[in-house]
Amino acid sequence: DGGITQSPKYLFRKEGQNVTLSCEQNLNHDAMYWYRQDPGQGLRLIYYSQIVNDFQKGDIAEGYSVSREKKESFPLTVTSAQKNPTAFYLCASSPRPDNSYEQYFGPGTRLTVT
Amino acid sequence: AQTVTQSQPEMSVQEAETVTLSCTYDTSESNYYLFWYKQPPSRQMILVIRQEAYKQQNATENRFSVNFQKAAKSFSLKISDSQLGDTAMYFCAFIPMYSGGGADGLTFGKGTHLIIQP
């Protein structure tokens, strides 16, 4: 079955540690996205990537980093510089950014930093 | 920059009733897509319906339909014959439709928590 996988579902880290969230898709989609969701808030865009080896900052990129070495993978690193990292993180993909605007979402990762 | 506003933080209706969720948006773009996503307790985001701004006809998907008023920048979702499984957070989202614009990511409202009572 084609889809988007995010692992792990729950992640716990100590303050000051970097942590990497995984996102893999086998839909052969070109574009991939990372969103953050906080209680009572909609999703906010962190980073996005249209093609391999290229990515752009979204609205709340500070304290995060990404890479896009393979088409199917778009890992997100939450660095110690992120002041409030505890949140629900969602990865999404879309077929081609300029002719298909529908995004498909993964199941999400709940990150708790204490 | 675009903004999306959902003015109803929570709504509750009885099963089988019809309910309408409101969404307004602000943009200077003339061509764009609008979406309604559903997020049940599992937190999986599920696309409910989408509307292309250049289409005057309102989109419909089974029990779900929209009332798209481009001049008023309004995009409401109507759920007919509501079911217990419709209980979820509902998010309105916007994306501009210029070349490469689809890669900019969706702009979401803060959501409406819809509760269907038995």
Side-chain angles (χ1 to χ4, degrees):
Chain A
D1 288 331
I4 302 173
T5 57
Q6 291 186 245
S7 61
K9 188 172 183 178
Y10 299 97
L11 191 55
F12 299 88
R13 281 294 183 271
K14 294 290 187 183
E15 192 173 331
Q17 294 180 337
N18 292 353
V19 58
T20 298
L21 282 60
S22 168
C23 178
E24 303 278 334
Q25 55 99 357
N26 61 3
L27 300 168
N28 198 33
H29 286 174
D30 288 308
M32 297 186 74
Y33 311 82
W34 274 106
Y35 294 90
R36 170 181 172 139
Q37 186 178 22
D38 294 286
Q41 300 288 327
L43 281 66
R44 292 183 290 167
L45 183 66
I46 305 172
Y47 266 99
Y48 59 95
S49 169
Q50 297 184 48
I51 56 173
V52 174
N53 292 323
D54 185 58
F55 47 83
Q56 285 79 40
K57 294 181 179 179
D59 299 322
I60 55 167
E62 184 175 351
Y64 299 97
S65 65
V66 294
S67 63
R68 187 89 186 273
E69 298 177 359
K70 299 185 295 182
K71 186 176 184 178
E72 59 270 23
S73 179
F74 191 42
L76 173 74
T77 296
V78 184
T79 74
S80 57
Q82 168 51 233
K83 295 179 181 178
N84 187 18
T86 294
F88 187 63
Y89 291 88
L90 284 153
C91 178
S93 69
S94 64
R96 279 184 60 185
D98 59 351
N99 73 354
S100 177
Y101 294 80
E102 182 175 330
Q103 295 186 13
Y104 300 78
F105 285 84
T109 292
R110 171 68 182 175
L111 173 64
T112 302
V113 177
T114 57
Chain B
Q2 291 77 224
T3 59
V4 177
T5 301
Q6 294 179 248
S7 59
Q8 305 151 311
E10 185 170 289
M11 297 186 70
S12 180
V13 299
Q14 296 296 122
E15 192 175 7
E17 289 183 345
T18 294
V19 60
T20 298
L21 281 57
S22 301
C23 172
T24 58
Y25 58 94
D26 189 25
T27 183
S28 58
E29 302 291 338
S30 57
N31 292 316
Y32 46 86
Y33 278 90
L34 292 160
F35 302 89
W36 279 98
Y37 279 89
K38 169 184 177 180
Q39 188 180 43
S42 67
R43 305 199 76 172
Q44 175 72 53
M45 294 290 284
I46 301 165
L47 179 66
V48 174
I49 199 165
R50 75 175 189 179
Q51 175 79 43
E52 294 90 332
Y54 61 87
K55 290 186 177 178
Q56 292 187 340
Q57 185 173 7
N58 289 324
T60 299
E61 288 288 342
N62 300 313
R63 299 183 294 109
F64 299 87
S65 61
V66 298
N67 183 5
F68 173 49
Q69 302 290 328
K70 190 173 183 179
K73 294 181 180 175
S74 172
F75 182 61
S76 61
L77 174 70
K78 186 172 83 171
I79 305 174
S80 303
D81 186 26
S82 58
Q83 300 174 358
L84 297 178
D86 295 333
T87 293
M89 285 292 294
Y90 286 81
F91 292 97
C92 179
F94 169 100
I95 197 165
M97 201 172 104
Y98 52 82
S99 177
D104 288 353
L106 293 160
T107 299
F108 286 86
K110 292 186 177 183
T112 296
H113 184 207
L114 176 64
I115 301 168
I116 309 299
Q117 304 277 6

